[in-house]
Amino acid sequence: RKWDTRLCDLEQRRFLRKSEKIFSITYIQCDDKDWTSCSYSNAANCGHSEDVFLRCVSEQQKNFEIVDNNGNTVENGDRGLLLFNGGTICDDGFDDNAADAICRQMGNPGSITWTTDDSFEIQQDLDITLDDINCSSNKWSSCTYSKTSNCVHSEDIFLSCK
């Protein structure tokens, strides 16, 4: 079976980390991407060759990251290329509310500054994964966006967070 990154598509033995305990479950079946829609069995009937290890991350960690020209995460306060799920973000609709909302979503109090640029070599190797961001406040829940883009990399967002 081809590997699918969606948790709920997995139907074999799974190991999940809950607090500091590791537990096993089998035959996971889900109606949606949300874990609460899933049913599963605690009966262990699989061998270790079927083990799957998952590392769970919060939505904040999964979605946004600010990186340098080598793809390394930058420290707070440093300017870097803003990524969404490993791709760049276009400036269409982007403003101070969007910058603050994304920094807050990443666990920071807000943004320092943002610009557009195509000065990093790594940009050309990345897809543009987010476009048309419009935020009515500094909270990500107030934002609308598109995951399809009509942009070029000179419109990529560079951001620094507090």
Side-chain angles (χ1 to χ4, degrees):
R1 161 177 249 201
K2 183 179 175 189
W3 174 258
D4 188 335
T5 58
R6 286 182 46 198
L7 170 66
C8 294
D9 283 347
L10 305 176
E11 295 177 15
Q12 296 179 7
R13 185 177 188 174
R14 308 296 180 236
F15 284 90
L16 303 174
R17 182 167 294 281
K18 184 174 181 178
S19 301
E20 293 300 315
K21 297 179 181 177
I22 294 178
F23 60 97
S24 73
I25 55 178
T26 59
Y27 301 107
I28 299 171
Q29 294 190 4
C30 303
D31 296 325
D32 196 7
K33 292 180 182 180
D34 188 88
W35 180 249
T36 59
S37 76
C38 302
S39 62
Y40 57 89
S41 170
N42 289 329
N45 63 353
C46 300
H48 287 298
S49 64
E50 297 173 288
D51 290 353
V52 173
F53 293 88
L54 304 174
R55 181 176 64 95
C56 299
V57 296
S58 72
E59 288 297 313
Q60 296 171 190
Q61 294 169 314
K62 184 174 76 170
N63 291 339
F64 295 106
E65 184 177 16
I66 302 173
V67 300
D68 64 18
N69 193 33
N70 296 315
N72 300 312
T73 302
V74 301
E75 299 293 322
N76 286 344
D78 291 343
R79 175 187 175 272
L81 178 63
L82 179 60
L83 301 181
F84 176 78
N85 290 340
T88 65
I89 297 175
C90 181
D91 70 346
D92 294 350
F94 202 89
D95 62 9
D96 290 340
N97 275 342
D100 284 338
I102 290 170
C103 286
R104 288 171 49 99
Q105 182 71 9
M106 294 173 63
N108 301 298
S111 67
I112 297 172
T113 187
W114 65 274
T115 61
T116 59
D117 198 347
D118 63 351
S119 61
F120 282 8
E121 291 177 22
I122 64 167
Q123 288 172 258
Q124 303 311 313
D125 296 329
L126 302 173
D127 292 328
I128 300 170
T129 55
L130 207 59
D131 191 10
D132 300 318
I133 299 175
N134 290 291
C135 302
S136 59
S137 75
N138 65 358
K139 295 183 180 171
W140 183 244
S141 60
S142 79
C143 302
T144 61
Y145 53 87
S146 173
K147 290 186 178 179
T148 59
S149 174
N150 61 352
C151 299
V152 295
H153 285 296
S154 62
E155 298 174 88
D156 288 347
I157 298 292
F158 282 73
L159 178 65
S160 61
C161 294
K162 296 178 183 173

